[in-house]
Structure formats: structure tokens, C-alpha cells
Amino acid sequence: MDRPRFHHVLTKLAAVIAIASVAACGSTGGAQLPLAPSATPVPTATPSTTTTIAATGTPQAIPAIGGGTATVSLAAAAGTAASASVSVTASATPPSGTAAISAAARKALAIARVALAYYTFVPSVDIQLTSFPIFTVSYPTSLVPAGTTLKEAFLDAASAQPVFTYDIAFGTNGATFASTAAAPKLLAGKAYIFAFYYETGSNATPTPTPTTTASTAPTATPSPAPTSTPVPVPGAFDITVPASIMSLTGQVAITDPATFSGFGGAHVFGRGGLVPTIFSAPTLINDCKLTVGTTSLTLTGGGQTIVAPLISTNPNAKTTVIASAISTAVSFYTLTGGMTLSITPDGLVNAVSGGNTVGQNVIACNRSYASSILADRSSETFVLSPATVAALTAKATSVTSTYPIAPSDFGGASGTALIGRGTISVGTTQRRVSDCKLTMTGATVTITADGGAFTRSATFASDPTDSYRYAVVPGAPGEFTFSPTNGVPIFFQANNFGNIIAASARSADFATTLACP
């Protein structure tokens, strides 16, 4: 790619991330990176222990691991055969063919996951549960450091994309884990894996413990913040943006390195694209990562590495900050290319693009590719297939109309999309949340946030008003907006790569609105 064309690509992508990403109040993403071996003690146990339980809805003991104890309650829907049973195998190591928790994707840099136990459930017949399985677990203090938050992960090995979904539930050692995730249907002979773990590392901020028991779900009424100004989520600042940058207004050329004092850190966006030219089809990637050093920035993804100095080396293009009410764009230039960051008004780097060698693809990590500022999106399990996207696009004859949709239009897609950042609004009061999540189970879509305190579900039922809209965003992938109409309105968006990029919903009384992002 020659230099003028390269700068055209980068400039166009900078506009896309500044408009499509920031105007939507932030973007969302994740990554998959290997973790260094942890020196933290791990459970010791025989390779595996198996028992059989019934889906009766009452707590039943399952095999202990490393001196720990556990019970689980499985509540089956009416009509389930009385003889239905579930084989439960407990092990301290991941089941054969399953990635270890400690080797899987991580949500923030410098965080390692320490697995305590894996439980593999295999039902004898199909069992539709009425709620997500409820566990009570307790481990010796020799395995769990004091003050540690335990977390639960889930892997549906019966799905087409068997990947762990993290933070299904969380609590203290000895607590009951009652998740607000959608109730799964357990298929006969298929494996469903539940794992318990905790996180270590400099960014492993403890998660607040939910006040849940086996019979009490999290309250659906969030406590509003006392101000109408969005409040950044503590611990969310993987990259620190100093006041010296955020206080700039208009367009400013930067030549003083002191402007970037305190600018540092790293963030894994996850989903992104390698873009040959602005009009070319991108190659999708799942490992976008930005690192801000003391003198330069490094952007990696798809086997490429881009480096740009904080102070430009290009005599014809100085490092530039362009600030507005909705975003701050910072562009860094080398002699052969450059890099552009988009920053939200509350100081979060939420999109990046760049490239710096002739013939090299531009790396773009932004809302168009479902990148995120808070969530690890490389471990998502809900992605529309190319065939489904093509069918939906073909069905849409105009970008200004809505079209009826049936459950079959999703092509059997199911799983979880980890959107991440969002805003809860109660009247004129707003506050940030960092755990927006969308789950698709069959024809039912569920949107949750705020530790499960906000949860809304709706089901596509081939109702004539169940609909979607397809729109083309200039310079960015097309977008679908889906809406099932039964109950309280729910909306969610996907781009034409099949990735979820946004979701919104209202509480049952319409008093509370969740917008992600």
C-alpha cells in the first residue's frame, strides 16, 4: 500500500472510530492470551470422582475436590421423566479436550485464573431446567486466600462453539451461587461443565458479593448514584488517560512529552479487523491489544505489530489531539504511518486503529467489530453465522424499513455475548456498569447487568411485530437491530460479521433503562 493510500485508510478509520464508537457512548471487546503458570496452590485430588443425582430441585451433594464440599440444585420443568438423572464427575483438572481455566482468555491484563474444581454434568435424558443450577461450595483456606472472591464459569460442550463463559456467578468461600443466566436445556449424553475459580494479579479487583441464596434471586431494583453524571467504574481504567490530555480543547499539536505524563497501561480489545484498504473486506481477528509505554504505543493483532512514538517522528504531521463534547481523538504519526485513539469524555480509551509499514493492513479495534473497553469478547459463544447474516441481509430490501423475524431466522445461534460497559438510567440519574451481557437460549434473549440486579428477557415467537432492521453505516460494517415485542421492550444490535455490538432494555415498570454501550 503506498503512503497516500495508507493515510487515507487510517484517516477514514479514525473517523469511523470517533463517530461510530464514541457517539454510541463507548464500545466493547476482549481477548484471548496465554497466561503464565501460577504459583498459587491448586487442589489435589484423584483424577476424577463420579456420582449420580436427580433433577429434583433440592440440594444434593456432589463429589468433593481437594477437601472442598459442594451441593447443587437442579430444578427440572414439569413433564420431565421421574427416572431422569445426571451423572456428575468432579475433577481438579479440566476434562479431556477442555481448555484449562488458567490457560483461557482473561478479562484484564496481569490477571491469572486459578481453577479449584471442574464439574461435568451428563444427563440421561433431555432435561429442560427452570433456572440455572444453584451451587453451594466451600474450600479449605489452604486453597483460597482470605478475602478472595470465588467465581463460577460454564461451558456448554453440546454447543457448536464450546467456550467457557466466565462470571456466571460469584461470591465468597462457602457461599451459595445463584446465577441469573438463562436456564439451560441439558441434552441427553451431552457434557455441561461448571468450574469454580478465582483471579490473581495486579488488576484482579474483587467483585462485590451478591446477596443471593438458593431461594432468593438478586433484587431487580438498582440503587441510583446521587448524580446525573456518568460515573466511571472503579478498576475499569486499564489505560490511564491523564488530565493533561482530557483538559485539551479543540485541535492541538503536541510537541511536549510532558503532556503524556501519566499516560500508560494496556488494554485487550479482542475483536477487530485487519483492513487492506477502506473499501476492502477485512480479515476478522480476536486479539486486538493496545499497550501505552513511556515513549511509544504498541498495537498488536492478527500477527501484526504497530508501533507509534508518543511524539511524532513525521515532520509534516505532529502528534495531534482533537477534542469535542463527545470524544477526544489523539493521532500519533511515524514517517510511514500512524495510530489514532478515541477516548470517551470520562477518560476511557474505547477504540484504536493504525498501521505503519507500506503494504501492511491497518488494525482496527472499534465498535464496528464489537470491540470493548471492559469485557473479554474473545470468549463469547453467541455469534451469528455468516450464512445467517447473509440470509438476514438478503431478506432486507431497504435500510429504512423493519422486517418480520422468526426464531428460525437466527440459524440456531445461542450462547452469550459479553458486551461490557453500559449505563443504567433511573429518571435523570445515570451510572456506569461494566458487566452488560446478552444471552440467547433457543428463541429467548436475556439482557443482564449490574451483577444481575438488572435482568430482562423476551422470546421471539414469530409474532408479526417481532422484527429487525438492517442499516448501512458509512465507512463501517452494516448493522442489524432486533426487537422481540412480548413483554417489556428489548433491543439488541449485531454487525454484519455476526457480532453483538449493543443492547438495551427497560425494567418491568419502565422506570429503569439499561443501555449497553
Side-chain angles (χ1 to χ4, degrees):
M1 185 188 305
D2 56 33
R3 188 181 305 173
R5 179 175 295 181
F6 169 81
H7 282 293
H8 175 66
V9 173
L10 185 60
T11 301
K12 293 286 286 184
L13 284 171
V16 170
I17 67 173
I19 296 173
S21 192
V22 180
C25 300
S27 66
T28 52
Q32 187 165 349
L33 296 173
L35 295 175
S38 171
T40 307
V42 295
T44 56
T46 55
S48 63
T49 306
T50 302
T51 191
T52 300
I53 62 174
T56 61
T58 58
Q60 299 172 79
I62 53 180
I65 291 294
T69 60
T71 65
V72 66
S73 175
L74 301 177
T80 301
S83 60
S85 64
V86 178
S87 169
V88 180
T89 300
S91 64
T93 56
S96 177
T98 303
I101 290 286
S102 59
R106 54 185 174 180
K107 296 194 300 180
L109 301 174
I111 287 183
R113 292 190 174 112
V114 179
L116 295 166
Y118 298 85
Y119 294 98
T120 302
F121 286 44
V122 179
S124 61
V125 298
D126 289 359
I127 302 174
Q128 175 61 64
L129 300 179
T130 59
S131 64
F132 202 83
I134 297 172
F135 290 84
T136 299
V137 298
S138 179
Y139 299 99
T141 55
S142 60
L143 293 181
V144 180
T148 293
T149 297
L150 298 187
K151 298 188 176 185
E152 180 184 347
F154 173 61
L155 188 155
D156 177 358
S159 69
Q161 295 177 305
V163 179
F164 271 111
T165 298
Y166 296 97
D167 296 351
I168 287 289
F170 51 86
T172 58
N173 192 10
T176 294
F177 290 70
S179 174
T180 58
K185 182 177 183 179
L186 308 182
L187 303 179
K190 301 295 185 180
Y192 301 85
I193 302 167
F194 303 85
F196 289 90
Y197 67 97
Y198 64 90
E199 294 176 338
T200 65
S202 59
N203 291 326
T205 305
T207 309
T209 303
T211 54
T212 58
T213 65
S215 60
T216 304
T219 175
T221 305
S223 300
T227 173
S228 60
T229 302
V231 178
V233 180
F237 293 85
D238 292 349
I239 296 177
T240 302
V241 181
S244 55
I245 294 177
M246 297 307 299
S247 62
L248 296 175
T249 58
Q251 181 169 336
V252 181
I254 306 298
T255 57
D256 183 1
T259 305
F260 298 108
S261 177
F263 188 34
H267 181 73
V268 179
F269 291 86
R271 299 196 184 280
L274 298 180
V275 188
T277 72
I278 194 63
F279 302 109
S280 301
T283 299
L284 299 185
I285 58 177
N286 208 32
D287 58 352
C288 284
K289 175 184 175 184
L290 174 67
T291 302
V292 180
T294 56
T295 60
S296 63
L297 303 95
T298 302
L299 177 62
T300 60
Q304 293 187 175
T305 298
I306 296 165
V307 179
L310 291 176
I311 301 300
S312 177
T313 59
N314 189 333
N316 300 314
K318 294 182 173 63
T319 296
T320 305
V321 173
I322 303 176
S324 71
I326 62 172
S327 70
T328 295
V330 188
S331 297
F332 306 86
Y333 297 98
T334 69
L335 290 173
T336 56
M339 193 182 303
T340 297
L341 275 59
S342 177
I343 305 172
T344 65
D346 49 359
L348 293 177
V349 175
N350 72 327
V352 60
S353 66
N356 62 3
T357 62
V358 174
Q360 183 181 47
N361 293 321
V362 169
I363 300 177
C365 313
N366 55 55
R367 182 176 185 266
S368 295
Y369 301 98
S371 290
S372 172
I373 52 177
L374 291 180
D376 179 350
R377 303 207 64 180
S378 65
S379 60
E380 288 183 322
T381 56
F382 180 39
V383 177
L384 300 178
S385 70
T388 297
V389 170
L392 290 172
T393 305
K395 187 176 179 179
T397 58
S398 168
V399 298
T400 60
S401 302
T402 56
Y403 309 93
I405 192 167
S408 58
D409 289 323
F410 289 98
S414 64
T416 299
L418 308 173
I419 304 173
R421 187 182 187 212
T423 303
I424 287 181
S425 301
V426 183
T428 60
T429 300
Q430 293 182 323
R431 61 190 178 89
R432 294 291 194 203
V433 293
S434 62
D435 59 349
C436 290
K437 180 171 64 176
L438 181 145
T439 301
M440 190 82 171
T441 304
T444 299
V445 60
T446 301
I447 299 172
T448 63
D450 204 20
F454 186 100
T455 301
R456 294 304 306 166
S457 296
T459 301
F460 289 96
S462 299
D463 186 290
T465 56
D466 286 348
S467 64
Y468 81 102
R469 181 188 295 268
Y470 181 63
V472 177
V473 180
E479 295 181 1
F480 302 91
T481 299
F482 301 97
S483 176
T485 57
N486 60 309
V488 178
I490 282 180
F491 302 90
F492 63 99
Q493 289 180 292
N495 62 17
N496 62 3
F497 302 128
N499 299 318
I500 301 301
I501 58 176
S504 63
R506 292 179 176 177
S507 60
D509 58 4
F510 283 75
T512 303
T513 299
L514 172 69
C516 311

